[in-house]
Amino acid sequence: MVLVQGEPSTDDEGDRAMTTRVRWAEQLIRHALFACALLSIVTTAGIVWVLASESFAFFREVSPFEFFLGTRWAPLLEPRSFGILPLICGTFLVAGGALLVAIPIGMGTGIYLSEYARPWVRGILKPILEILAGIPTVVYGYFALTFITPQVLRPLIPQTEIFNVASAAIVVGVMIIPTIASLCDDAFRAVPRTLREAAYALSATRLEVSTRVVVPAAMSGVVAAVLLAFARAIGETMAVTLAAGMTPKLTLNPLESVQTLTGYIVQVSLGDTPAGTIEYQTIFACGMTLFLITLTINIVAHRVLKRFREVYE
Amino acid sequence: MAELRNMSVTDSRTRSATRRVTAAPDTVISAENLTLGYGSFVAVRDVSLDIPDRKVTAIIGPSGCGKSTLLRAMNRMNDVVPSANVQGRLLYRGLDIYSPRCDSVELRLKIGMVFQRPNPFPKSIYKNVAWAPKINGYRGDMGELVERSLQHAALWDEVKDKLHQCAYALSGGQQQRLCIARAIALQPDVLLMDEPCSALDPIATARIEDLIDELENRYTVVLVTHNMQQAARVSDLTAFMYMGELVEFDATETMFTKPGRQRTQDYITGRFG
């Protein structure tokens, strides 16, 4: 553009050809990049459309009332029943248990990284934490089934079932520790140094500074971290299916087997359910439910996170 | 240690768990050939001075002269900088501040600090003042302590009806007085002030200066300022530092009327700095 507006050069023809070529390439890249951005939006929209239309077909057969309030989930066996509460219960049981494991350890790690660790220790620990996040989730599931249940839980509590909520919750908890630790660390480090100085000058110990100034000041960041980790725990599939089993059950007992929304979708997807049948459509209704739950949590988390960014400005 | 800290809060002035070594009885903080640095950089070089009890001592000097470093050494706030190093001695009522026997957490019960920019906690006014007494196990009437601290910081009348509002709703000057109230709620012996008015407007500054005059009756105040008029107005003694060295230390009146050194004269008359 600058070239066009510049002084006319002696070789006018050549210059014009070059600017045209530059502009043409520029336009091409611009459009290509736009297409990339569009692709992800279209994909998302397409997924939502498929979920919504198949769910709609499902809800023509089964009333939403039965679906959301029924307490028995048996879409594949006679007499059939489509109450999703046992799946939601299983999902929240595993994800809630995972938070019980991950919140204390993740926050503790975050406090250590931001308040206690020397820079070189931090430089080693943070990448290791990220490796933990990179382990394939099926390995975690295998680990729960072959180690945590038989070697840890059963010797302690003999009546533990082979597939159980507790082992799933423990491995999913370990899986989301990096998310909580890393986001908490970021939130804690965003607390201004002057607040820490104020606390130290008031005769606070390092622990008091951490727990009574830094954590409260970064509370919204902590809440957002926990919510994002919770959304991840709810969406987690392979590890949970392997560890918690496939028994839809409305229970609060962590030693029993349950089925989660994701686990059910795996079961039906891998089976030989013909497309178009009501059994087939259940997985879209479940997928839709799952999507709405994680979407809600993500929106709330981002709201909270945005507020926390504004606090010190 | 918890027990000792509890006692210190309830009865800070009369207890003297410290060992007197060399300083005169009315000296609170005493530096002996003190050299402070960060890594290989020397910020304060071979400074000796005695800070007397219940007086306002001002430390003046151009930017980078080491006055803040010297002040922050007095309650070991420099500890957080890993490369900070110390030579010579710094005594608080005879206790060597940098000896292993001195616990920085306990030291800061006796030596409070107010910072350059107001830094209240993002909590209510009440909780800001009650914060330090609470973590140090104060067992008396907290409401009464908060009221007394706010009164001594000349803030009570402005905030008594909104004690449970967030401290961030206050003006800058009010926030700084809240920080002073927060520091004196621990009933310290010494109050260190690091350019406490540099972020405030002239009216707020005047109020803090009036407050420093009153604080002098109860606390030993060490005030770092780049504002010579402020030093002249509020302090009893003035130390002039230049390039890490203590050039002159004398009664404020003497310093500003007939200073002993040419460099002091040049600085206070505005010829450099």
Side-chain angles (χ1 to χ4, degrees):
Chain A
M1 280 203 283
V2 177
L3 280 173
V4 176
Q5 288 163 353
E7 298 266 311
S9 72
T10 46
D11 190 3
D12 207 37
E13 280 293 300
D15 251 16
R16 188 138 304 165
M18 197 177 98
T19 48
T20 319
R21 200 161 55 238
V22 168
R23 281 175 142 198
W24 182 81
E26 194 65 28
Q27 289 289 318
L28 185 75
I29 286 169
R30 198 185 131 106
H31 285 122
L33 293 178
F34 177 71
C36 293
L38 198 65
L39 191 67
S40 62
I41 293 172
V42 169
T43 313
T44 311
I47 289 172
V48 172
W49 168 250
V50 171
L51 279 180
S53 60
E54 295 281 352
S55 303
F56 184 74
F58 173 79
F59 284 119
R60 269 194 310 213
E61 303 281 327
V62 178
S63 80
F65 187 78
E66 185 196 341
F67 183 70
F68 287 112
L69 297 177
T71 55
R72 202 173 83 87
W73 181 254
L76 307 176
L77 304 165
E78 295 293 344
R80 291 198 295 195
S81 170
F82 298 96
I84 201 175
L85 281 180
L87 294 187
I88 291 183
C89 166
T91 301
F92 278 88
L93 208 55
V94 171
L99 286 188
L100 284 184
V101 174
I103 290 176
I105 299 176
M107 272 184 73
T109 311
I111 290 173
Y112 177 74
L113 283 176
S114 95
E115 306 300 311
Y116 286 80
R118 288 167 181 281
W120 67 270
V121 179
R122 199 185 134 78
I124 295 169
L125 267 183
K126 260 227 149 174
I128 291 179
L129 213 56
E130 272 142 32
I131 292 171
L132 199 63
I135 296 175
T137 61
V138 68
V139 174
Y140 280 105
Y142 199 71
F143 180 68
L145 192 60
T146 60
F147 178 76
I148 292 183
T149 297
Q151 308 288 335
V152 180
L153 291 176
R154 288 197 135 182
L156 286 174
I157 314 162
Q159 66 267 38
T160 310
E161 295 176 12
I162 292 281
F163 297 104
N164 61 78
V165 171
S167 64
I170 290 168
V171 291
V172 175
V174 172
M175 220 182 285
I176 61 177
I177 284 171
T179 308
I180 294 186
S182 181
L183 287 172
C184 280
D185 176 44
D186 293 344
F188 296 152
R189 287 166 72 84
V191 173
R193 192 177 49 91
T194 54
L195 287 187
R196 291 189 180 84
E197 283 193 333
Y200 279 121
L202 291 167
S203 181
T205 61
R206 197 177 282 268
L207 183 66
E208 286 159 351
V209 173
S210 306
T211 57
R212 295 176 185 235
V213 174
V214 176
V215 173
M219 198 32 111
S220 48
V222 172
V223 170
V226 168
L227 286 175
L228 290 172
F230 190 51
R232 223 200 120 191
I234 283 176
E236 172 45 40
T237 307
M238 268 340 284
V240 175
T241 311
L242 282 178
M246 297 191 176
T247 325
K249 202 185 291 173
L250 201 57
T251 178
L252 290 175
N253 184 352
L255 304 177
E256 289 180 28
S257 169
V258 296
Q259 188 165 42
T260 61
L261 287 162
T262 51
Y264 173 73
I265 295 172
V266 169
Q267 186 190 0
V268 173
S269 305
L270 296 181
D272 48 4
T273 317
T277 60
I278 186 82
E279 295 91 322
Y280 176 77
Q281 283 161 348
T282 53
I283 64 171
F284 292 94
C286 286
M288 193 72 197
T289 310
L290 196 60
F291 174 68
L292 289 179
I293 292 171
T294 51
L295 183 72
T296 310
I297 294 171
N298 274 315
I299 289 174
V300 173
H302 281 286
R303 283 270 168 86
V304 174
L305 208 58
K306 205 171 144 204
R307 262 188 54 202
F308 131 82
R309 286 210 186 96
E310 286 162 357
V311 167
Y312 310 114
E313 285 167 8
Chain B
M1 189 183 89
E3 196 177 320
L4 184 58
R5 288 172 71 186
N6 293 346
M7 291 169 69
S8 309
V9 173
T10 48
D11 195 12
S12 72
R13 193 62 49 68
T14 52
R15 271 181 54 82
S16 175
T18 57
R19 198 162 46 94
R20 274 158 209 271
V21 183
T22 49
D26 65 338
T27 299
V28 179
I29 293 177
S30 161
E32 296 172 2
N33 306 105
L34 186 69
T35 297
L36 302 165
Y38 305 103
S40 60
F41 172 74
V42 178
V44 172
R45 191 187 305 273
D46 199 24
V47 166
S48 298
L49 87 171
D50 287 346
I51 288 172
D53 200 6
R54 310 295 162 86
K55 299 274 190 234
V56 177
T57 304
I59 306 175
I60 61 170
S63 299
C65 71
K67 55 191 192 301
S68 281
T69 302
L70 178 60
L71 189 79
R72 292 167 71 93
M74 292 175 183
N75 67 344
R76 285 186 42 185
M77 284 304 283
N78 285 337
D79 281 15
V80 292
V81 183
S83 65
N85 52 64
V86 185
Q87 284 159 39
R89 291 212 301 171
L90 187 58
L91 304 175
Y92 163 68
R93 294 198 184 272
L95 171 79
D96 188 342
I97 289 174
Y98 279 91
S99 81
R101 284 181 50 242
C102 175
D103 176 10
S104 63
V105 172
E106 278 187 59
L107 178 75
R108 290 171 192 149
L109 274 177
K110 306 279 193 174
I111 306 182
M113 189 167 205
V114 176
F115 295 84
Q116 206 163 346
R117 300 183 67 86
N119 55 357
F121 298 128
K123 300 176 190 288
S124 74
I125 293 165
Y126 182 95
K127 282 186 175 164
N128 261 279
V129 182
W131 194 85
K134 197 174 156 201
I135 64 163
N136 286 293
Y138 180 72
R139 280 175 218 282
D141 180 347
M142 189 65 85
E144 191 262 340
L145 177 69
V146 170
E147 177 175 344
R148 184 153 39 94
S149 304
L150 285 167
Q151 267 167 352
H152 288 177
L155 188 60
W156 174 251
D157 291 335
E158 290 157 63
V159 301
K160 63 184 175 198
D161 299 323
K162 48 179 181 180
L163 287 176
H164 296 286
Q165 284 182 18
C166 182
Y168 284 12
L170 299 174
S171 72
Q174 287 174 324
Q175 286 187 15
Q176 194 61 303
R177 276 178 283 145
L178 177 63
C179 292
I180 293 170
R182 186 175 64 178
I184 61 185
L186 275 178
Q187 295 165 283
D189 185 12
V190 183
L191 210 49
L192 306 177
M193 296 184 150
D194 189 1
E195 302 190 23
C197 302
S198 64
L200 305 180
D201 64 62
I203 294 167
T205 299
R207 301 201 62 164
I208 302 271
E209 287 180 5
D210 290 346
L211 176 57
I212 292 172
D213 270 343
E214 288 171 35
L215 292 174
E216 185 182 2
N217 302 321
R218 298 191 188 87
Y219 312 98
T220 302
V221 177
V222 186
L223 171 74
V224 159
T225 178
H226 60 255
N227 179 335
M228 281 175 287
Q229 286 73 33
Q230 184 170 71
R233 280 192 299 262
V234 303
S235 70
D236 302 299
L237 294 100
T238 298
F240 170 57
M241 289 183 70
Y242 181 68
M243 307 242 325
E245 289 178 14
L246 180 66
V247 176
E248 195 170 352
F249 180 44
D250 211 331
T252 300
E253 211 186 318
T254 316
M255 289 284 281
F256 281 89
T257 51
K258 38 183 193 301
R261 299 282 192 91
Q262 185 59 39
R263 206 185 278 287
T264 314
Q265 171 99 40
D266 289 350
Y267 183 70
I268 62 172
T269 53
R271 219 164 291 171
F272 79 99

